[in-house]
Amino acid sequence: MQKFFVLLALSLLIYGCSGTQHSIENDSESPVDLEREANRDDPRIASILEQYRTEYDDKMGVRVAEVAYPLEFGSPESALGNMAADAIRFRAAREARRFIHLSVIGESSFRLNFNEGTLTLGEVLEFMPYENHLVLLKLTGEMVHELSQQIAARGGAPVSGMRFRLVDGRAQQVLVNSEILDRTGEYWLATSNWVANGGDDFTAILNPLERIDYELSIRDLYVDYFRNQRTLSPEIDGRIRE
């Protein structure tokens, strides 16, 4: 159902912003050219759109959680980034039924900061507007070390399970779950398929020892996580410190 309304919203957005032609199915299952029909000021089309718009507004306005204070992404770490990465790692552990060492996701995957007050379903869908799904990667310690250096080189990124000091664009004293990174070891990393496929330029993770894709959208993951939290009040905890 969420996917339906996202698609509907996108359809309405495209219709409102584009000069190209788009169509939907009417009750008789015949394609209806929205632009042509709208230009005729057809009350039938207006009624259909209003019906969907009202239903869409009702669904998107549903309360998901309360936000304790304004949350924004930032470097080298941010409360919102920490929460975004924690949510992926914790849910990955639940899906895999095993301990997940760390997670990472780039800020380019998100499109919205959070204001203080009620967080609605529509805002979560704006926060994560993409159809990405959960992925687990088994990495060597050397890959994790290289990943930490790539995160450091960009001045930080949303991570969970990893801690390090940022010095002159390099990651130093890298810890994974409070233990010194074992460069001969193996680690499980949770992320999205977008990141796993190279979307955020973390090249260190492109050739994992093993990869598992889950049919769980990152968007739904966040909706569930935020709803269970009830009040969102993440903190900066020094996981990437200067």
Side-chain angles (χ1 to χ4, degrees):
M1 182 60 74
Q2 288 178 6
K3 184 176 180 179
F4 167 77
F5 283 109
V6 170
L7 292 174
L8 175 61
L10 290 174
S11 298
L12 290 174
L13 182 60
I14 292 170
Y15 172 66
C17 300
S18 172
T20 58
Q21 291 186 338
H22 306 280
S23 65
I24 62 174
E25 298 285 324
N26 67 3
D27 292 340
S28 63
E29 300 184 352
S30 300
V32 175
D33 187 316
L34 285 179
E35 189 168 29
R36 187 180 68 244
E37 294 294 340
N39 288 338
R40 293 178 180 175
D41 195 22
D42 189 327
R44 180 171 57 96
I45 296 300
S47 176
I48 293 173
L49 290 177
E50 186 58 30
Q51 176 185 342
Y52 283 128
R53 185 178 294 111
T54 300
E55 190 172 357
Y56 170 81
D57 289 343
D58 289 343
K59 293 290 185 183
M60 295 300 101
V62 169
R63 174 188 174 279
V64 173
E66 293 295 319
V67 181
Y69 35 77
L71 296 173
E72 298 180 353
F73 288 104
S75 297
E77 68 165 302
S78 66
L80 183 55
N82 290 349
M83 181 174 65
D86 286 344
I88 290 178
R89 186 163 71 98
F90 295 157
R91 183 58 181 267
R94 177 176 148 190
E95 295 296 321
R97 299 184 178 181
R98 63 172 302 137
F99 182 73
I100 303 301
H101 300 91
L102 63 162
S103 67
V104 66
I105 190 166
E107 292 182 17
S108 66
S109 295
F110 305 96
R111 286 292 177 269
L112 182 71
N113 296 317
F114 290 168
N115 295 321
E116 180 179 349
T118 299
L119 179 70
T120 67
L121 178 59
E123 290 170 323
V124 178
L125 301 190
E126 288 185 68
F127 172 71
M128 169 46 70
Y130 307 111
E131 290 289 345
N132 296 329
H133 62 263
L134 178 66
V135 170
L136 284 186
L137 303 175
K138 181 189 280 187
L139 305 177
T140 65
E142 282 293 344
M143 291 174 180
V144 174
H145 172 73
E146 182 60 25
L147 174 62
S148 70
Q149 299 306 327
Q150 292 176 357
I151 294 171
R154 64 171 59 187
V159 297
S160 179
M162 174 185 288
R163 303 178 74 88
F164 63 79
R165 182 175 296 280
L166 184 59
V167 180
D168 296 331
R170 298 283 297 174
Q172 296 187 359
Q173 303 171 9
V174 179
L175 303 178
V176 176
N177 297 292
S178 302
E179 295 184 356
I180 297 174
L181 172 64
D182 178 4
R183 294 172 68 167
T184 67
E186 295 179 350
Y187 297 89
W188 282 101
L189 176 139
T191 189
S192 70
N193 63 304
W194 162 259
V195 177
N197 293 339
D200 275 321
D201 295 327
F202 294 124
T203 57
I205 66 174
L206 292 182
N207 296 293
L209 300 175
E210 186 175 344
R211 171 171 171 157
I212 304 172
D213 288 66
Y214 289 89
E215 293 183 3
L216 171 65
S217 81
I218 297 295
R219 177 188 303 127
D220 289 346
L221 178 157
Y222 281 123
V223 171
D224 292 343
Y225 184 84
F226 297 153
R227 187 167 282 151
N228 289 332
Q229 294 289 307
R230 297 188 179 181
T231 299
L232 307 183
S233 56
E235 301 285 350
I236 292 174
D237 56 17
R239 61 187 69 179
I240 301 178
R241 57 202 185 282
E242 296 178 303

